[in-house]
Amino acid sequence: MISVGLIGYGYWGPNLARNFDETDGVRLAAIADGRADRRDAAGRRHRGIVTCEDASSLIALEDLDAVVIATPLETHYPFAKAAIARGKHVLVEKPFVGSISHAEELAELAYKHDVRLMVDHTFVYNGAVRRIRSLIDSGDLGELLYLDSVRVNLGLLQQDSNVIWDLATHDLSIMDYLIDARPVAVSADGTAAAGFEHENVAYVTVHFDNGFLAHFHVNWLAPVKMRQMLLGGSQRMVVYDDTDPAEKVRVYDKGVDVDVNDRETRRRILVSYRTGDMHAPTFDRREALSLVAQEFAESIAQHRPPLTDAAAGTRVVALLDAAERSLRADGRRMAL
Amino acid sequence: MISVGLIGYGYWGPNLARNFDETDGVRLAAIADGRADRRDAAGRRHRGIVTCEDASSLIALEDLDAVVIATPLETHYPFAKAAIARGKHVLVEKPFVGSISHAEELAELAYKHDVRLMVDHTFVYNGAVRRIRSLIDSGDLGELLYLDSVRVNLGLLQQDSNVIWDLATHDLSIMDYLIDARPVAVSADGTAAAGFEHENVAYVTVHFDNGFLAHFHVNWLAPVKMRQMLLGGSQRMVVYDDTDPAEKVRVYDKGVDVDVNDRETRRRILVSYRTGDMHAPTFDRREALSLVAQEFAESIAQHRPPLTDAAAGTRVVALLDAAERSLRADGRRMAL
Amino acid sequence: MISVGLIGYGYWGPNLARNFDETDGVRLAAIADGRADRRDAAGRRHRGIVTCEDASSLIALEDLDAVVIATPLETHYPFAKAAIARGKHVLVEKPFVGSISHAEELAELAYKHDVRLMVDHTFVYNGAVRRIRSLIDSGDLGELLYLDSVRVNLGLLQQDSNVIWDLATHDLSIMDYLIDARPVAVSADGTAAAGFEHENVAYVTVHFDNGFLAHFHVNWLAPVKMRQMLLGGSQRMVVYDDTDPAEKVRVYDKGVDVDVNDRETRRRILVSYRTGDMHAPTFDRREALSLVAQEFAESIAQHRPPLTDAAAGTRVVALLDAAERSLRADGRRMAL
Amino acid sequence: MISVGLIGYGYWGPNLARNFDETDGVRLAAIADGRADRRDAAGRRHRGIVTCEDASSLIALEDLDAVVIATPLETHYPFAKAAIARGKHVLVEKPFVGSISHAEELAELAYKHDVRLMVDHTFVYNGAVRRIRSLIDSGDLGELLYLDSVRVNLGLLQQDSNVIWDLATHDLSIMDYLIDARPVAVSADGTAAAGFEHENVAYVTVHFDNGFLAHFHVNWLAPVKMRQMLLGGSQRMVVYDDTDPAEKVRVYDKGVDVDVNDRETRRRILVSYRTGDMHAPTFDRREALSLVAQEFAESIAQHRPPLTDAAAGTRVVALLDAAERSLRADGRRMAL
């Protein structure tokens, strides 16, 4: 039985608490939050739990095997460092940390202390996303050509960071999971409209070594909620619409055939399009976060790296960092 | 009665011919096309018309007042130049011409010969787009914040240019019509996926002097057809979905209020969101091209510049030219 | 403070318990359910509550002011009767009871004992439905012409009754709330497809004294979930789509004008259609069941009939009863 | 080469003329219409055609092999009779004729004169409908359970009949084509709302000998256009949405399994639902009317009955006739 403590019982914390509570082989033992009302709520919902006022008290608890960190970004590094230093396994909310050097330092520290360090890239555990990965693996999509992602809506509370760190993290982690090619450069553009301090409308482009192109639109000022991803393949193309209650994943038997021989004899490319059936496969509808909790527990029990380990977290931080640098440099393309 | 000759009876030419045929005060007198089968088709559909094998024969016809050019881009400049030189009024298909210098030369020539020179930015005559312009003019949207446009689908025949010159021209001409602020820089990224010679997936970003941001996604390799534009305002926001058969224009009574006073006392911005009704106004459903033909005829009759004159055409060419330069320079932002 | 006991902690009971728990002026004091696991769950979620194995024990509790009945239909009558006889106020799940005579008997008994008797017609408390009622009241829709309702999906557990008693009850209660004219006759058709014992696909038609027509399609065997109601008015028409996450209520400025004068001079009616804007108003998004609980509590505190009183429940039972009789008589129209 | 004459050049006639013009083995030779402007329009669009002022002149033309009748319903019978009597093959617009006796008389007459008599049930030639038929034939849907059809919108010009004869004819002809079981009874309800002379909102129910149930909602007063058909099968279910530009036919791998053995031992049926993939197959996108023209020509050339022959037309008239009788008898179920 793995004993887990949770730091942060704000927006996402209660979801983590509930899911760890229902995970086999795990005991949710402690919750830390600076606000008394949240500690009360945690105590009511999770009987017999230890509640702490600050993170360090929780980390200091002797009988905890693992710590889950669901606090603002700037605290991820110190809390994770302290927990690892005490030999605890650590699950950190996305985004992992605010800088590549912090990410690499934590990864090294976890290696040294032989503890599991996992990042909560929740969407990697989403049934729809995993279904798309299996479509890629089966070769059904053919050669992957591009990924286009839109994640927009109206709404945000007080924010200390821009929309890229908040929303694009999700999509970059999906991209990191789905695309095997190596990203080589990132550019980003955006605007802090309506008097905001940080960018609230932004676009991120990721270039890959094999010519694959990924593009992300993230926006806190959109009148409608959209969560849509296009994944173009030479054989088939996928539309993943997370707002569709019924058919989130649609596979279009559409593709492009280029007559290469013809190209040599004539200047113009002859292209023919195939249009066929559309297919909406079923997929695992379980809550992604329950699989996150399960993967964390199993990686500890089996003494193996979790699927979304510190390396995955670091890769996503590197993309965010490059996007941020590009934003500050008039959208110039930044090498990774 | 204005006598009009049409050069090019391929994809778009028949639509122009039909609309000029039905325009008051206009007589469609001649059609030129290099292909015999197209000349035959033109002759069957438009009785008593003169058909020519080449553009120069048509331009040479004495009794023509005006010439409509619906041929590939590279011929726009020579055909328009020849027609203007003979004192004909000219309507050119979009995009106007392939370079800013050609655009400026033609504008000057038309001024010298005192003929009308118009560019067929069809969407500027679309009822939905004009309805959005009237919403902007009424002040209902508040301060304009950003424009995001998606124009994607699967399909193209042989192409001599990239997807930006083909598809983004539409959206840039809409932007030119709707947004009064001055664009100052353009960047573009894209990929020539699946062995194409030219970019078939591309993104264009346009920066304005007042901070307004416009972004365009154009794509020939998308499995679904999307024609969607978001226009964010501080008071209201518009979604223009050209594929929706019923409600193409939706106005959301949603916006953002930033408490500026609070900003001075506290580090964090306090933002409140308003969410209200949605409203889908009716608009003029007439075919846009019929209004193009009418505007061309009226600008000639009234001896005044048409709405989409050479200046508008030149502005859009300047945007396309900057996007093209950015594409060739790793997406670097190009000043206009 | 009104002390409430709940009978039945199966599918709907936990929702009732949660909402009464959060209602001002109410104390959820006891829950009865025959199954031990459900009593345990109830005890865990509602601390300090009394749990009972059977309804009669709960009804016998001295300090209860009111009883909420969320058990299978056949038990509504005996449980409500027993509770009223002990002077408790009663809220009964929909449908009220299985026969008109039972409905009338309970209404009379409640009158005699001077207790409130309310039926949980939840949709009457739904913000979208109330918004439509206010549109009717404002006269915006003009003369009401027809109502067409579709409530279909795949799914059902073991069932003791047909799809009309299960699903159409919702829509008939909405109709009862919205339409002031008097229904005079009902017909129904259906089929017990796929070897079911009771009808799982059915259609109900309700005729009104003023010519208004209402029609209901209810279906447990449909591959897609649909919850759609059309309400046609001479001035405007409403589409209420409960599955639309964003715009559930749409008001179309469309109508019909009939030239009556013309009718006298010519055989044919000259009809002109108006087509105008569409408008999606906002509405109260609070959970309907919380307003049910509040209305029950307030009707008790204020000693007044609740909005969905026994009379409303009886009217809906009369419609269901007539539909059932029609089903058994080859769809013959049954007078109410 | 079959020589065809067309009677009626109003709403549908031009479509028939265009399609017969483009059909191999057919020559459109003559068009009759009482209105001079329509004859002019016909003459302009179809060069060298003979135009007639009345039907009898056209029918009298010696060199015509076949006559197409696209005039108001009440003229179908006399025109068809006269044409058949002169040995012409006849294609009649839907609905075939206004009474069963007329339908049977024409069928007999055509048999006697050995000419083809076809009814233009256009939707039977629609690629989506034929795709659904092939799904049925393949057994993929399992046992067919029910058909539910909605065909509603706002709009109608002057009308001499009710919405059932106008709109339901389409759906009844689709049902006649898809469903092999025998319909045995029909009931119908409706209202002539808003001062119309004939029913403009109506519902038709068709009962089959094997328990299959079909239901039709037709409505001229709906604010939105809907063209949707559900076809429930025990193995799979189809949604056919004719307004969807991309995926008109969707096949849901959803069904119902009833445990029959269980039924014998227990009163309650145990039902389990299967939910699987959704599949949107491609289908023939050619214009249905071109296939109607082709089938008519081929049935003449091959001296064989057309797919939608007089018998099919008569079956649909019998359904319409029973629906009409039911409308006049308070919705009573009428045997066929």
Side-chain angles (χ1 to χ4, degrees), chain C residues 133 136 143-148 171-187 204-216 229-231 315-316 319 333-336, chain D residues 189-192 203 330:
Chain C
R133 175 74 222 195
I136 295 171
E143 182 198 356
L144 296 186
L145 306 175
Y146 69 87
L147 183 154
D148 178 86
D171 303 301
L172 292 170
S173 71
I174 294 174
M175 178 191 85
D176 179 68
Y177 170 65
L178 292 180
I179 310 300
D180 291 331
R182 200 170 61 89
V184 291
V186 176
S187 57
V204 178
T205 310
V206 181
H207 298 263
F208 284 72
D209 57 0
N210 66 348
F212 184 85
L213 188 75
H215 185 271
F216 305 86
M229 196 175 265
L230 306 180
L231 179 60
R315 290 193 301 270
V316 169
L319 293 162
R333 198 178 290 182
M334 296 293 169
L336 283 166
Chain D
D189 252 317
T191 181
Y203 301 92
D330 283 352

Side-chain angles (χ1 to χ4, degrees), chain B residues 276-308:
Chain B
D277 294 4
M278 186 270 271
H279 185 236
T282 50
F283 51 82
D284 187 346
R285 294 266 178 178
R286 279 178 296 171
E287 186 177 0
L289 201 51
S290 75
L291 300 175
V292 169
Q294 189 183 313
E295 171 71 4
F296 186 48
E298 287 180 8
S299 73
I300 293 169
Q302 298 165 12
H303 203 267
R304 59 154 176 88
L307 175 60
T308 50

Side-chain angles (χ1 to χ4, degrees), chain B residues 248-323:
Chain B
K248 290 184 193 299
V249 179
R250 294 167 185 242
V251 186
Y252 291 84
D253 186 12
K254 294 184 175 179
V256 189
D257 297 318
V258 177
D259 186 342
V260 179
N261 292 329
D262 183 81
R263 198 159 151 198
E264 285 160 356
T265 51
R266 289 210 278 155
R267 284 287 315 285
R268 295 183 170 192
I269 297 174
L270 274 187
V271 177
S272 65
Y273 291 94
R274 284 178 305 95
T275 294
D277 294 4
M278 186 270 271
H279 185 236
T282 50
F283 51 82
D284 187 346
R285 294 266 178 178
R286 279 178 296 171
E287 186 177 0
L289 201 51
S290 75
L291 300 175
V292 169
Q294 189 183 313
E295 171 71 4
F296 186 48
E298 287 180 8
S299 73
I300 293 169
Q302 298 165 12
H303 203 267
R304 59 154 176 88
L307 175 60
T308 50
D309 58 6
T314 305
R315 288 193 301 270
V316 169
V317 168
L319 293 163
L320 291 167
D321 175 78

Side-chain angles (χ1 to χ4, degrees), chain C residues 235 278 290:
Chain C
Q235 292 301 316
M278 186 271 272
S290 75

Side-chain angles (χ1 to χ4, degrees), chain A residues 49-320:
Chain A
I49 216 163
V50 174
T51 56
C52 310
E53 212 174 314
D54 53 62
S56 54
S57 314
L58 184 139
I59 292 168
L61 292 173
E62 285 297 327
D63 57 341
L64 286 188
D65 301 306
V67 170
V68 177
I69 300 171
T71 50
L73 176 58
E74 64 270 20
T75 63
H76 288 188
Y77 168 72
F79 292 173
K81 189 174 174 182
I84 295 169
R86 284 190 161 258
K88 318 284 194 203
H89 306 287
V90 171
L91 170 66
V92 187
E93 257 324 286
K94 68 92 204 167
F96 183 16
V97 287
S99 75
I100 305 177
S101 60
H102 281 172
E104 290 173 342
E105 186 188 334
L106 290 179
E108 216 166 305
L109 198 66
Y111 179 78
K112 207 181 97 190
H113 286 268
D114 193 20
V115 296
R116 306 285 76 76
L117 176 53
M118 175 167 164
V119 182
D120 178 14
H121 289 169
T122 319
F123 272 96
V124 169
Y125 301 86
N126 177 295
V129 172
R130 298 179 85 120
R131 192 72 188 75
I132 295 170
R133 175 74 223 196
S134 77
L135 287 165
I136 294 171
D137 289 342
S138 71
D140 277 4
L141 306 185
E143 182 199 355
L144 297 186
L145 306 174
Y146 69 86
L147 183 154
D148 178 86
S149 168
V150 176
R151 183 179 297 269
V152 310
N153 61 277
L154 191 72
L156 124 118
L157 300 176
Q158 295 181 348
Q159 287 289 345
D160 289 328
S161 71
N162 65 37
V163 70
I164 293 180
W165 284 85
D166 182 47
L167 296 185
T169 306
H170 289 302
D171 303 302
L172 293 170
S173 71
I174 295 174
M175 178 192 84
D176 179 68
Y177 170 65
L178 292 180
I179 309 301
D180 291 332
R182 200 169 62 88
V184 291
V186 175
S187 56
D189 252 318
T191 181
F196 275 54
E197 195 174 345
H198 300 287
E199 283 81 5
N200 41 26
V201 177
Y203 301 92
V204 179
T205 309
V206 182
H207 297 264
F208 284 73
D209 55 0
N210 65 348
F212 185 86
L213 188 75
H215 185 271
F216 304 86
H217 172 201
V218 284
N219 190 327
W220 278 328
L221 297 184
V224 287
K225 181 178 177 177
M226 292 192 279
R227 298 279 183 272
Q228 190 177 67
M229 197 175 264
L230 306 180
L231 180 58
S234 57
Q235 292 301 316
R236 283 188 184 75
M237 298 182 180
V238 174
V239 178
Y240 164 34
D241 185 345
D242 204 50
T243 64
D244 192 312
E247 281 94 37
K248 290 184 192 300
V249 178
R250 293 167 186 243
V251 186
Y252 290 84
D253 186 12
K254 294 184 174 179
V256 189
D257 297 318
V258 176
D259 186 342
V260 178
N261 292 328
D262 184 82
R263 198 156 150 202
E264 284 160 357
T265 52
R266 289 210 279 155
R267 283 289 314 283
R268 294 182 170 193
I269 298 174
L270 275 188
V271 177
S272 65
Y273 291 93
R274 284 178 306 93
T275 294
D277 295 4
M278 186 270 271
H279 185 236
T282 50
F283 52 82
D284 187 345
R285 295 264 178 178
R286 279 178 295 170
E287 187 177 0
L289 202 51
S290 75
L291 300 175
V292 169
Q294 189 182 313
E295 172 71 3
F296 185 48
E298 288 180 8
S299 73
I300 293 170
Q302 297 165 11
H303 203 268
R304 60 155 176 87
L307 175 60
T308 49
D309 58 5
T314 305
R315 288 192 301 270
V316 169
V317 168
L319 293 162
L320 292 167

Side-chain angles (χ1 to χ4, degrees), chain D residues 26-251:
Chain D
V26 171
R27 193 174 66 87
L28 182 65
I31 292 180
D33 198 291
R35 283 169 52 172
D37 59 331
R38 290 177 176 173
R39 289 196 301 278
D40 285 354
R44 274 197 309 274
R45 252 174 273 180
H46 301 279
R47 296 194 184 173
I49 215 163
V50 174
T51 56
C52 309
E53 211 173 315
D54 53 60
S56 54
S57 315
L58 184 140
I59 293 168
L61 292 173
E62 284 296 327
D63 57 340
L64 285 189
D65 301 308
V67 170
V68 178
I69 300 171
T71 50
L73 176 58
E74 63 271 19
T75 63
H76 288 187
Y77 168 72
F79 292 173
K81 188 174 174 180
I84 296 169
R86 283 189 162 257
K88 316 286 194 205
H89 306 287
V90 171
L91 170 65
V92 188
E93 258 325 288
K94 69 91 204 168
F96 183 16
V97 287
S99 76
I100 305 177
S101 60
H102 280 171
E104 290 174 342
E105 186 188 334
L106 290 179
E108 216 166 305
L109 199 66
Y111 179 79
K112 207 181 96 188
H113 285 269
D114 193 19
V115 296
R116 307 287 75 76
L117 176 53
M118 175 168 165
V119 182
D120 178 14
H121 288 169
T122 320
F123 272 96
V124 169
Y125 299 85
N126 177 294
V129 172
R130 298 179 85 120
R131 192 72 187 74
I132 295 170
R133 174 75 221 194
S134 77
L135 286 165
I136 295 171
D137 289 343
S138 71
D140 277 3
L141 306 185
E143 183 199 354
L144 297 185
L145 305 175
Y146 70 86
L147 182 155
D148 179 85
S149 168
V150 176
R151 183 177 297 268
V152 310
N153 61 277
L154 191 72
L156 126 118
L157 299 176
Q158 297 180 349
Q159 288 289 344
D160 288 328
S161 71
N162 64 37
V163 70
I164 293 179
W165 283 85
D166 182 48
L167 295 185
T169 306
H170 289 303
D171 303 301
L172 292 170
S173 71
I174 294 174
M175 179 192 83
D176 179 69
Y177 169 65
L178 292 180
I179 310 300
D180 291 331
R182 201 170 61 87
V184 291
V186 175
S187 56
D189 252 317
T191 181
F196 276 54
E197 197 173 345
H198 302 287
E199 283 82 6
N200 41 27
V201 177
Y203 301 92
V204 179
T205 310
V206 182
H207 298 262
F208 284 72
D209 55 0
N210 65 348
F212 185 86
L213 188 74
H215 185 270
F216 305 86
H217 172 202
V218 284
N219 190 327
W220 279 328
L221 296 184
V224 287
K225 181 177 178 178
M226 292 191 279
R227 301 277 184 271
Q228 189 176 69
M229 195 173 267
L230 306 180
L231 179 59
S234 57
Q235 292 300 317
R236 284 188 184 75
M237 299 183 180
V238 174
V239 177
Y240 164 36
D241 184 345
D242 204 49
T243 64
D244 191 311
E247 282 95 35
K248 290 184 192 302
V249 179
R250 294 167 186 243
V251 186

Side-chain angles (χ1 to χ4, degrees), chain B:
Chain B
M1 184 68 73
I2 297 157
S3 177
V4 171
L6 168 66
I7 306 175
Y9 199 75
Y11 167 65
W12 196 239
N15 294 326
L16 285 161
R18 175 172 50 79
N19 276 285
F20 274 102
D21 221 18
E22 293 166 359
T23 300
D24 289 340
V26 172
R27 193 175 66 89
L28 182 65
I31 292 179
D33 199 290
R35 282 170 51 172
D37 59 330
R38 290 178 176 172
R39 289 196 301 277
D40 284 355
R44 273 197 310 274
R45 254 175 270 180
H46 302 279
R47 296 195 184 175
I49 215 163
V50 174
T51 56
C52 309
E53 212 173 315
D54 52 61
S56 54
S57 316
L58 184 140
I59 293 168
L61 292 173
E62 284 296 327
D63 57 343
L64 285 189
D65 301 308
V67 171
V68 177
I69 300 171
T71 49
L73 176 58
E74 64 271 20
T75 64
H76 287 187
Y77 168 71
F79 293 173
K81 188 175 176 180
I84 295 169
R86 283 190 161 258
K88 317 285 194 204
H89 306 287
V90 171
L91 170 65
V92 187
E93 258 324 287
K94 68 92 207 168
F96 183 16
V97 288
S99 75
I100 305 177
S101 61
H102 281 171
E104 290 174 341
E105 185 188 334
L106 290 179
E108 215 167 306
L109 199 67
Y111 179 79
K112 206 181 97 188
H113 285 268
D114 193 21
V115 296
R116 306 286 76 76
L117 176 53
M118 174 169 166
V119 182
D120 178 14
H121 289 170
T122 319
F123 272 96
V124 169
Y125 300 86
N126 177 294
V129 172
R130 298 180 85 119
R131 193 73 187 75
I132 295 169
R133 176 74 222 196
S134 77
L135 287 165
I136 294 171
D137 288 343
S138 71
D140 277 3
L141 306 185
E143 183 199 354
L144 297 186
L145 306 175
Y146 70 86
L147 182 154
D148 178 86
S149 168
V150 176
R151 184 178 296 268
V152 310
N153 61 277
L154 191 71
L156 123 120
L157 299 177
Q158 297 180 349
Q159 288 288 345
D160 288 329
S161 71
N162 64 37
V163 70
I164 292 179
W165 283 86
D166 182 47
L167 295 185
T169 306
H170 290 303
D171 303 301
L172 292 170
S173 71
I174 294 174
M175 178 191 84
D176 179 69
Y177 170 65
L178 292 180
I179 309 301
D180 290 332
R182 201 170 61 89
V184 290
V186 175
S187 56
D189 252 317
T191 181
F196 275 54
E197 195 173 346
H198 301 287
E199 283 80 5
N200 41 26
V201 177
Y203 301 92
V204 179
T205 308
V206 182
H207 297 263
F208 285 72
D209 56 359
N210 65 349
F212 184 86
L213 188 74
H215 185 270
F216 305 87
H217 173 202
V218 284
N219 190 327
W220 279 329
L221 296 184
V224 288
K225 181 178 177 176
M226 291 191 280
R227 300 276 183 273
Q228 190 176 68
M229 196 173 265
L230 306 180
L231 180 59
S234 58
Q235 292 301 315
R236 284 189 185 75
M237 298 184 181
V238 174
V239 178
Y240 164 35
D241 184 346
D242 204 50
T243 64
D244 192 311
E247 282 94 37
K248 290 184 193 299
V249 179
R250 294 167 185 242
V251 186
Y252 291 84
D253 186 12
K254 294 184 175 179
V256 189
D257 297 318
V258 177
D259 186 342
V260 179
N261 292 329
D262 183 81
R263 198 159 151 198
E264 285 160 356
T265 51
R266 289 210 278 155
R267 284 287 315 285
R268 295 183 170 192
I269 297 174
L270 274 187
V271 177
S272 65
Y273 291 94
R274 284 178 305 95
T275 294
D277 294 4
M278 186 270 271
H279 185 236
T282 50
F283 51 82
D284 187 346
R285 294 266 178 178
R286 279 178 296 171
E287 186 177 0
L289 201 51
S290 75
L291 300 175
V292 169
Q294 189 183 313
E295 171 71 4
F296 186 48
E298 287 180 8
S299 73
I300 293 169
Q302 298 165 12
H303 203 267
R304 59 154 176 88
L307 175 60
T308 50
D309 58 6
T314 305
R315 288 193 301 270
V316 169
V317 168
L319 293 163
L320 291 167
D321 175 78
E324 181 79 33
R325 285 185 286 128
S326 177
L327 265 188
R328 304 296 148 239
D330 284 351
R332 199 145 48 80
R333 198 178 288 182
M334 296 292 172
L336 283 167

